[in-house]
């Protein structure tokens, strides 16, 4: 009878574990998608606004010597790096988007959901420019407009900021051992040991009750 109960309990426990792990993954993926949409929408809205109001005009100085808006068309990567490699960066951006979408299938970590959401939204924002801005094709130019410490720091946009923040978070999470599945390094080994300890305690309690 105990064997049947144990087998039944194991099956029920496995089903319960599956039901517990599935919803967190869906919630993490939903958070990733929502954050990516917010970043993408904010990037698109700010680029559209500055093009309508500042294109071809003098910079809009917000804080003298510290912050101003100035529209430029960037053929390179984030912060105007590699201006002669537009097609390469377009392909890289598309690859990043595909990689993040594939990685989302394993996602159960809240910090990684935020990290990937920032990177996905930023990559989609700049990829949209590269595909649809002049001159078009795979060589479109990204709209940059935020300039801090004018003449001392590259001009960037919302997408660039999201990508950089996501990259910094990714490095930090990897350094601290956080995994996409919500565990840390060695966490997969700890869980089974805890489960065995609980089973041992339950068996000892049953033995005392039988005695």
């Amino acid at each position: 009878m105990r064997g049947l109960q144990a087998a039944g309990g194991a099956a029920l426990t496995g089903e319960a574990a599956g039901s517990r792990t599935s919803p967190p993954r869906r919630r993490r993926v939903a958070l990733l998608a929502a954050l990516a949409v917010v970043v993408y929408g904010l990037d698109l809205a700010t680029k559209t606004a500055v093009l309508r109001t500042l294109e071809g005009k003098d910079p809009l100085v917000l804080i003298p010597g510290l912050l101003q808006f100035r529209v430029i068309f960037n053929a390179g990567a984030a912060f105007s790096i590699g201006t002669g490699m537009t097609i390469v960066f377009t392909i890289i951006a598309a690859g990043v988007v595909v990689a993040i979408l594939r990685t989302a299938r394993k996602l159960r970590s809240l910090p990684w959901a935020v990290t990937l959401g920032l990177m996905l939204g930023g990559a989609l924002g700049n990829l949209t420019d590269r595909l649809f801005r002049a001159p078009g094709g795979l060589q479109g130019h990204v709209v940059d407009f935020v300039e801090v410490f004018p003449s001392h720091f590259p001009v960037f946009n919302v997408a660039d900021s999201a990508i950089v923040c996501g990259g910094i978070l990714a490095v930090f999470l990897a350094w601290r051992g956080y995994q996409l599945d919500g565990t840390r390094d060695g966490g997969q080994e700890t869980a089974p040991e805890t489960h065995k300890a609980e089973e041992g305690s339950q068996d000892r309690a049953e033995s005392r009750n039988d005695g």
Side-chain angles (χ1 to χ4, degrees):
M1 180 64 70
R2 285 185 183 174
L4 293 175
Q5 290 176 344
L12 291 175
T13 302
E15 293 175 0
S19 64
R20 286 195 300 269
T21 56
S22 183
R25 185 183 69 83
R26 289 197 294 267
R27 289 196 293 268
R28 300 302 183 253
V29 173
L31 174 61
L32 185 159
L35 186 55
V37 169
V38 170
V39 171
Y40 180 77
L42 185 59
D43 181 65
L44 183 61
T46 52
K47 288 174 179 175
T48 301
V50 297
L51 285 175
R52 290 178 177 176
T53 57
L54 294 178
E55 185 178 6
K57 299 181 180 179
D58 294 333
L60 175 62
V61 178
L62 301 179
I63 304 176
L66 178 60
L67 175 64
Q68 67 181 25
F69 289 167
R70 177 169 66 90
V71 175
I72 67 169
F73 295 92
N74 175 18
F79 303 104
S80 302
I81 299 173
T83 55
M85 303 174 64
T86 306
I87 295 179
V88 174
F89 289 125
T90 302
I91 296 173
I92 291 175
V96 169
V97 171
V98 173
I100 292 175
L101 294 177
R102 290 175 61 87
T103 301
R105 295 180 298 178
K106 304 176 182 179
L107 184 62
R108 289 183 174 85
S109 167
L110 179 61
W112 273 110
V114 173
T115 299
L116 296 179
L118 289 171
M119 297 180 71
L120 179 59
L124 286 173
N126 283 342
L127 182 60
T128 299
D129 282 359
R130 296 189 188 281
L131 293 176
F132 299 107
R133 302 268 183 205
L138 297 177
Q139 302 188 60
H141 294 171
V142 175
V143 177
D144 290 335
F145 62 93
V146 181
E147 188 173 21
V148 296
F149 301 108
S151 302
H152 297 285
F153 198 79
V155 185
F156 59 97
N157 57 39
V158 173
D160 294 337
S161 301
I163 291 171
V164 171
C165 290
I168 293 173
L169 282 173
V171 172
F172 174 78
L173 293 175
W175 172 59
R176 297 294 297 171
Y178 288 95
Q179 305 296 317
L180 288 168
D181 61 3
T183 64
R184 296 184 68 175
D185 286 342
Q188 295 88 340
E189 299 177 359
T190 303
E193 293 176 357
T194 304
H195 183 63
K196 290 179 181 178
E198 293 175 351
E199 289 181 342
S201 300
Q202 184 177 1
D203 290 341
R204 288 193 295 271
E206 291 178 355
S207 298
R208 288 197 295 270
N209 292 333
D210 292 340

